[in-house]
Amino acid sequence: MPTVNLDFQYVVSVIIDIFSEGINRNRHVSPILRRQDRHVTDRAIVIGAGVGGLAAAIRLAARGMDVTLCERAESVGGKVREVDVGGPKIDGGPTVFTMRWVFDDLFAAAGTSLTTHVDLERADILARHAWSESERLDLYADLERSIDAIATFSSAEEAKRFKAFCDHTKAMYRTLRDPFLCAERPKGSMDMTARVGLGNVKALLDVKPFSTMWSQLTAHFLDPRLRQLFGRYATYCGSSPFQAPATLMLIAHVEQDGVWLIKGGMYRLIEALKSIAESVGVTIRTGAEVDQITVGNGRASGILLTSGETLRADVIVANTDANAVYSGLLGGEMADKKSATTPRKRSLSALVWTGMGRASGFPLSRHTVFFSRDYPDEFRRIFRNRQLPDEPTVYVCAQDRSAGLASVPDGEERLLILVNAPATGDTDSLQPQEIDQCHQRTMAQLERCGLSLTMNPERTALATPNTFHQLFPATGGALYGQATHGWDASFKRPANRTRLPGLYLAGGSVHPGPGIPMAALSGRLAAEAAMADLTSMGRFHPAAISGGTSTGSATTANTA
């Protein structure tokens, strides 16, 4: 009799929940209802609360799984982090937000919307660029303004070439988005050809996978400064434009399609993802460092924390650097020398100063790049010699500048200053003299372009390759996983599904690549692979979702 009474109460609660949920068609059935409504409660553990881990956890929980997210740090976010130097915190990681549609889809999968949780402003100026005090060029959200700016900066002929370049990169993006960015990693060129279809082989060849980025930029532009500007997009993947495939030119279209500024800084996005994860039932545990992934019956079975606690699960998503898995750091059974990243294959690291400072003489925009005079030498020294560049290209993020024309904040402003560096954080600790010399060269480069910058030494922090190696073990400080060098680099990037059943990978070091939106896509792909594998085993029973909220492919999203 008590059981009947309990069942009756459950039915009543379901009716009440359904009625309540029907008022808001964009919300999911509550996590409690999802778990009671299913025949089996599948358990998932996500290791690492970066963007990829948060995205995977949200998607798995939204489909009814019991998800625990373990993060070794005391706060979530991974590489998206804030630096506290006293006063308002400063973005100390990624600063550019693009491919908004990825997050529109992710938030929709959780029954809400991006704009409900994050205040966005579309940037008018994508970035400001300088080569000297008299050589400056802005790229705009309005393509026609960029064309006019290039005509004034260089020539009318180069402006026409730029327009053709934009058409080309837009076509590249459209060719690769659905079959590559939003799908599991292709097994090779034949698989990729099959995905785009024989009728679209020409479009695939127009991606220029067998050409280097620099050779194609040389074909597009006569002005070496424009080659240098668009070659910089290779560094978004931690790579050299002289070794990266021309495929990476599509990043130019990604920015042209929209750069967004998040009010309050990038970490507001992380706070929103954390809130959503908890709302769909994810248990987030910070300060929970994983010692190893456990294996049982030939598949990943759980994790062992450094505290000695063991957690069991049907699915493990490792949102660490893939090398932490394949180097054996998380257990010898996952070690794979073939998949491990050797030091020579690592992507870029960086020296990053974040702090409060005063800028004068140069009108900083939110994103400003100051180019070196010898680009080939800069990358030669980093990737071949494993040394800091003699004259670095410098990126400055002025976090307090508005989305439109540069405004000058009163007093000190929040600044991030970044120069590329080799990923030698596990083998070569930079000496104070080397860092001081690099700092002097950085400031000299800014002065050469007309920017006088005075940082408050008591309110400035420095991160080096050693810092990043400590924050992200097994990386050597590499911020983007493997460097994307060679025509087949994209096929060699670790896949989201591993050879060990039950273990999946997410994050910027795996397919489809580095960057905030790519990491979010990796989380989606890892979650989809896990659910598909459980379904094929007859163990996964997707939760019912009310309101018709889409949790399907992001490829249906509208983008230019």
Side-chain angles (χ1 to χ4, degrees), residues 323-345:
N323 205 44
V325 173
Y326 290 128
S327 68
L329 183 64
L330 294 178
E333 294 193 56
M334 270 69 68
D336 184 350
K337 290 184 178 180
K338 184 178 179 181
S339 300
T341 303
T342 63
R344 285 287 174 180
K345 292 182 180 179

Side-chain angles (χ1 to χ4, degrees), residues 457-523:
E458 296 181 357
R459 301 184 66 188
T460 299
L462 170 65
T464 69
N466 307 90
T467 308
F468 294 123
H469 177 65
Q470 292 172 10
L471 289 172
F472 314 112
T475 64
L479 296 173
Y480 314 87
Q482 299 179 10
T484 308
H485 290 164
W487 72 269
D488 59 347
S490 296
F491 304 134
K492 292 181 177 179
R493 183 170 285 274
N496 308 104
R497 182 186 275 112
T498 72
R499 295 179 181 177
L500 180 67
L503 176 62
Y504 307 86
L505 302 180
S509 68
V510 304
H511 177 76
I516 290 178
M518 297 298 196
L521 284 175
S522 78

Side-chain angles (χ1 to χ4, degrees), residues 271-338:
E271 292 175 337
L273 291 173
K274 178 177 182 289
S275 175
I276 290 169
E278 291 174 333
S279 74
V280 294
V282 177
T283 299
I284 299 177
R285 297 181 57 177
T286 56
E289 183 172 2
V290 176
D291 181 69
Q292 67 179 50
I293 298 168
T294 58
V295 178
N297 298 320
R299 62 180 290 112
S301 60
I303 59 173
L304 173 65
L305 299 177
T306 55
S307 65
E309 182 182 0
T310 298
L311 301 178
R312 301 296 180 187
D314 306 290
V315 166
I316 307 292
V317 177
N319 181 55
T320 65
D321 191 281
N323 205 44
V325 173
Y326 290 128
S327 68
L329 183 64
L330 294 178
E333 294 193 56
M334 270 69 68
D336 184 350
K337 290 184 178 180
K338 184 178 179 181

Side-chain angles (χ1 to χ4, degrees), residues 351 381 386-390 420-422 430 434-435 438 441:
L351 290 181
R381 288 182 64 85
R386 316 298 285 173
Q387 297 174 338
L388 294 171
D390 278 338
N420 294 321
L430 292 172
E434 294 177 274
I435 294 174
C438 183
R441 290 170 176 170

Side-chain angles (χ1 to χ4, degrees), residues 29-95:
V29 178
S30 70
I32 294 176
L33 174 58
R34 282 200 305 269
R35 285 199 277 270
Q36 291 176 332
D37 185 51
R38 293 174 50 242
H39 301 291
V40 178
T41 300
D42 298 302
R43 292 173 295 177
I45 293 173
V46 180
I47 305 170
V51 170
L54 286 164
I58 289 169
R59 289 188 179 276
L60 290 170
R63 296 303 300 274
M65 296 189 71
D66 187 345
V67 182
T68 300
L69 175 56
C70 294
E71 167 58 49
R72 69 193 289 263
E74 295 302 324
S75 58
V76 302
K79 292 185 177 71
V80 185
R81 62 196 190 97
E82 287 186 312
V83 178
D84 187 356
V85 293
K89 294 181 180 179
I90 307 170
D91 283 333
T95 58

Side-chain angles (χ1 to χ4, degrees), residues 13 17 47 92 94 104 206 301 333 346 389 413 420 426 456 471 518 544:
S13 69
D17 279 340
I47 305 170
D104 285 331
D206 284 343
S301 60
E333 294 193 56
R346 291 172 180 166
E413 60 180 304
N420 294 321
D426 55 341
N456 184 336
L471 289 172
M518 297 298 196

